Amino acid sequence: APTAGLHFTPKLIQKIEKKGIKIVPVILHIGLGTFRPVEVEDLTKHKMDSEFFEISQKSADVINKALTGKRNVFVVGTSTTRALETSVTAEGFVKANRGWTDKFIYPPYEFKIVKKLITNFHMPESTLIMLAAAFADTDLLMKSYKKAIKEGYRFLSYGDAMLVI
């Protein structure tokens, strides 16, 4: 399941939309590979399992309007991030797209679409934590994880979320 979005109750979504924030869907079919640990030292040798996604023209248009207006694009989840970063045009916009991605994002990586990331706390050695580290800076992310462990935050699919800016 695309679990980062579980934090968004219908009541919270209503509050967000009342502030004029647009929420657009991206269809995801999460695969088991998302949870498979990376077992190679050379990250370029890791084979990411493919996941299916779909970005509608309507969703792409809303995201591109935000990018053109230099507005923040908050992305919920690492799989959504992968789908959007797979669907970048040469001009740095999102294109409507439907298909499979095996894009493996790890440090260093220059994000083209994602400006802010909401994600869960992930397992060590997972592709998910590596994507978050590419976005947040590895040292800062590790400090956040140490604090989360100390404070008793919940990890994994039904755990706590973090906003990475």
Side-chain angles (χ1 to χ4, degrees):
T3 57
L6 293 175
H7 301 282
F8 291 86
T9 63
K11 186 176 180 179
L12 180 57
I13 289 172
Q14 283 180 337
K15 283 183 176 182
I16 291 169
E17 289 176 332
K18 278 186 181 177
K19 293 185 178 283
I21 297 167
K22 304 247 189 260
I23 299 173
V24 298
V26 172
I27 295 171
L28 303 170
H29 293 276
I30 308 303
L32 291 175
T34 293
F35 307 101
R36 187 183 325 272
V38 174
E39 297 176 337
V40 296
E41 287 192 35
D42 180 353
L43 295 180
T44 63
K45 300 212 182 314
H46 177 71
K47 176 67 175 125
M48 187 78 188
D49 294 82
S50 292
E51 295 179 330
F52 184 83
F53 70 93
E54 184 172 348
I55 303 166
S56 70
Q57 187 63 58
K58 182 178 178 184
S59 291
D61 290 345
V62 171
I63 294 166
N64 290 334
K65 184 176 179 183
L67 291 170
T68 300
K70 300 196 184 320
R71 307 219 18 152
N72 285 316
V73 176
F74 285 77
V75 176
V76 179
T78 55
S79 291
T80 307
T81 299
R82 291 177 57 232
L84 292 172
E85 293 293 320
T86 295
S87 304
V88 177
T89 66
E91 296 82 21
F93 293 102
V94 175
K95 64 181 175 186
N97 197 2
R98 177 180 203 271
W100 295 86
T101 183
D102 62 357
K103 188 171 194 69
F104 178 30
I105 299 174
Y106 55 90
Y109 179 81
E110 183 182 333
F111 290 83
K112 302 345 177 250
I113 304 300
V114 181
K115 305 303 179 203
K116 313 284 187 213
L117 175 63
I118 298 170
T119 189
N120 294 350
F121 286 90
H122 304 293
M123 290 296 291
E125 301 177 7
S126 69
T127 60
L128 311 174
I129 197 170
M130 290 179 193
L131 185 148
F135 193 84
D137 173 76
T138 304
D139 291 338
L140 179 60
L141 189 71
M142 291 303 109
K143 285 180 187 176
S144 300
Y145 269 68
K146 285 178 185 174
K147 181 171 177 66
I149 291 167
K150 182 180 176 186
E151 299 289 328
Y153 287 23
R154 294 169 295 157
F155 280 54
L156 305 176
S157 296
Y158 296 101
D160 292 303
M162 61 179 154
L163 170 62
V164 186
I165 52 174

